[in-house]
Amino acid sequence: MDLSHIKKGVVPWFFPLELLERYSPSRNSMNWSKEFELRLEASKFIQKAGEMLNLPFLTQATGIVLFQRFYTVKSFEKYPYQNVCLAGLFLAGKKEETFCHIRELVRKTYPLLYPNKFLSKEDDQELSRLCKKLLDLENDLLHVISFDLEIDHPYDQVVDYIKKLKSDKTYQSTLAQTAWNFINDCYRKTIFCILYPPNIISAAVLSLAAQFLNFKLPVDGQNPFWKHFGTTRKVVQEISLKIQNMYMTKDLERIKLSIKENLKSLSKNSLQKRNSSKKYEIEQRIKSRKRKSLESSMQPTNNTSKNEKLGIDQNQNINDSIDIHKEIEQDLINLGDNNNKNNENSNDLNKKYIDNNQLKKPRNNNKK
């Protein structure tokens, strides 16, 4: 069986792993283990090149998808992956509207292609040669994918669903960021982008992120969360476990710690913003009352006909001043109690963070 028929658009760009293992075009020159290793090296190469070019990760992810699709039709033996990576990244920049000129791309990524060489500004011949080579590869890439640049990523689906959840904004933000981090790692450490559609990856990373945060997603009733993504609970659990297994134990601990610190920071910022308007209101009331107290104590008494009322007026002013100061003190006490209550809420929020024993120990599988 050959995979070249996908050039005619007969099947979508997602394949069973067993099919790639047995019938990949590179099978004549290398086994699947070697090919899988090259695919992951190429993903890291694209990420490094994208960082050197200051391209957003969405553009890098599109470049990775284009690269992975290319080698379901072409062989690693015939097309060295470094140049194909750059051609895919160049095409991804056009697709995601983050265009980088071909000459700038070659100049900045030249150390990745040739670590032991230096490309001088006067070496225009070498620069032109590489530019032409990458443009030819871009043309080959477009023909291989049949000019199909409709590439969907899991990011938007995750964010759209989280916005529909009725939960604390802090948890929503942390849940979205954690899920995004898992998606980024899926592009860097797996070939899921040619194994599973983005809706399945979205559901899986959302489930795993919720598990890390001890966040309860809808699983009962007529609208469980996986139904929104058009998949099943069994598939979500299976892919979530595969994502978790791509990490070493120490990496999972690092992720948990990072999530916990991020949650603390977001909780603190949220509570501070919530208190800012109340605090400003109380401070303004304090200033206003102090000003009124000062004005009442400095009222003139020039008319001698009012001397009889002077004692009464002064006593009234003193009483008003005492009442105002009592109100000020009470406001300050209320403000302090409010801050203490918010600190307690922040501690309660952090206590909800998942215990490490609730997660299954991952298996260290190199083969997906």
Side-chain angles (χ1 to χ4, degrees):
M1 184 177 179
D2 191 359
L3 298 181
S4 60
H5 64 285
I6 65 175
K7 290 185 289 185
K8 301 177 182 180
V10 177
V11 295
W13 289 103
F14 306 104
F15 309 92
L17 182 58
E18 296 77 12
L19 189 66
L20 291 173
E21 289 177 345
R22 295 182 60 183
Y23 302 111
S24 171
S26 299
R27 200 55 64 249
N28 295 330
S29 58
M30 65 183 69
N31 58 26
W32 171 248
S33 178
K34 179 63 177 177
E35 179 181 345
F36 182 76
E37 182 181 341
L38 289 178
R39 286 178 179 271
L40 297 189
E41 286 182 8
S43 297
K44 295 178 182 178
F45 184 94
I46 291 174
Q47 182 191 0
K48 289 181 180 179
E51 291 173 352
M52 295 175 74
L53 296 167
N54 293 322
L55 295 176
F57 194 85
L58 182 63
T59 302
Q60 300 174 33
T62 300
I64 291 172
V65 172
L66 291 171
F67 168 86
Q68 298 290 1
R69 292 182 178 182
F70 180 83
Y71 282 104
T72 59
V73 178
K74 298 297 182 180
S75 170
F76 277 92
E77 182 181 21
K78 185 176 180 181
Y79 291 87
Y81 75 82
Q82 291 88 346
N83 290 324
V84 177
C85 286
L86 295 181
L89 192 59
F90 179 65
L91 181 58
K94 296 179 180 178
K95 196 268 179 186
E96 301 298 341
E97 299 182 355
T98 54
F99 176 74
C100 178
H101 195 279
I102 186 65
R103 294 177 72 88
E104 180 185 2
L105 183 146
V106 170
R107 283 192 180 279
K108 289 186 176 182
T109 60
Y110 191 83
L112 283 178
L113 289 173
Y114 306 102
N116 299 324
K117 294 184 180 180
F118 175 75
L119 181 65
S120 63
K121 294 182 179 180
E122 294 77 16
D123 197 352
D124 192 68
Q125 184 176 358
E126 173 70 2
L127 181 63
S128 299
R129 181 187 69 82
L130 287 173
C131 289
K132 183 179 183 304
K133 188 174 184 178
L134 292 185
L135 291 174
D136 291 341
L137 281 173
E138 180 195 22
N139 187 55
D140 292 342
L141 177 56
L142 284 169
H143 281 85
V144 164
I145 64 174
S146 300
F147 293 85
D148 179 14
L149 292 175
E150 291 296 325
I151 298 175
D152 295 324
H153 295 287
Y155 301 103
D156 291 339
Q157 297 184 40
V158 168
V159 174
D160 291 341
Y161 182 78
I162 291 177
K163 287 180 179 179
K164 297 179 181 179
L165 297 175
K166 296 180 180 179
S167 60
D168 184 81
K169 294 296 183 181
T170 300
Y171 262 98
Q172 284 189 359
S173 177
T174 307
L175 182 64
Q177 185 60 58
T178 305
W180 271 55
N181 291 339
F182 283 133
I183 295 173
N184 293 345
D185 287 342
C186 284
Y187 280 115
R188 285 190 287 252
K189 299 182 178 183
T190 72
I191 58 170
F192 284 179
C193 61
I194 56 174
L195 296 180
Y196 310 109
N199 60 301
I200 293 180
I201 299 176
S202 299
V205 298
L206 184 62
S207 175
L208 189 59
Q211 183 183 358
F212 267 61
L213 293 169
N214 200 24
F215 186 93
K216 292 184 179 181
L217 294 171
V219 295
D220 300 320
Q222 297 181 348
N223 295 309
F225 77 93
W226 55 79
K227 187 176 180 180
H228 174 85
F229 296 97
T231 184
T232 64
R233 184 172 194 168
K234 182 179 179 181
V235 172
V236 169
Q237 291 175 341
E238 178 184 348
I239 306 305
S240 297
L241 184 59
K242 289 183 178 181
I243 295 174
Q244 188 173 331
N245 287 340
M246 75 184 181
Y247 296 101
M248 300 290 288
T249 303
K250 60 181 181 180
D251 293 330
L252 285 175
E253 295 300 327
R254 175 182 53 80
I255 293 171
K256 294 175 194 175
L257 181 61
S258 176
I259 292 173
K260 188 175 181 180
E261 293 300 325
N262 188 33
L263 183 60
K264 284 183 179 180
S265 177
L266 288 174
S267 300
K268 184 177 179 180
N269 292 338
S270 177
L271 292 172
Q272 287 177 348
K273 289 180 181 179
R274 196 180 305 169
N275 293 335
S276 60
S277 59
K278 181 64 177 176
K279 182 178 179 181
Y280 177 79
E281 178 184 349
I282 292 176
E283 289 176 347
Q284 292 302 311
R285 288 170 60 190
I286 292 173
K287 290 180 181 179
S288 175
R289 289 167 183 172
K290 285 183 177 179
R291 184 170 56 253
K292 290 180 180 179
S293 176
L294 182 62
E295 291 175 354
S296 63
S297 64
M298 296 179 63
Q299 288 181 355
T301 55
N302 297 329
N303 197 337
T304 56
S305 64
K306 296 181 181 180
N307 287 339
E308 296 179 357
K309 300 181 180 180
L310 181 59
I312 299 176
D313 291 341
Q314 288 178 342
N315 292 334
Q316 184 65 37
N317 289 339
I318 293 173
N319 293 334
D320 291 342
S321 178
I322 292 174
D323 292 339
I324 290 173
H325 283 290
K326 285 183 178 180
E327 290 183 13
I328 292 174
E329 290 177 359
Q330 185 61 43
D331 282 340
L332 291 173
I333 293 173
N334 292 338
L335 182 60
D337 292 340
N338 192 31
N339 288 333
N340 293 332
K341 183 178 179 180
N342 288 332
N343 290 332
E344 293 175 0
N345 292 337
S346 177
N347 293 332
D348 292 339
L349 190 62
N350 292 329
K351 287 180 182 178
K352 294 182 180 180
Y353 183 74
I354 189 169
D355 192 279
N356 295 342
N357 296 327
Q358 289 180 276
L359 292 175
K360 297 179 180 179
K361 290 185 178 181
R363 300 188 305 273
N364 183 15
N365 294 337
N366 292 325
K367 180 177 178 180
K368 303 291 179 293

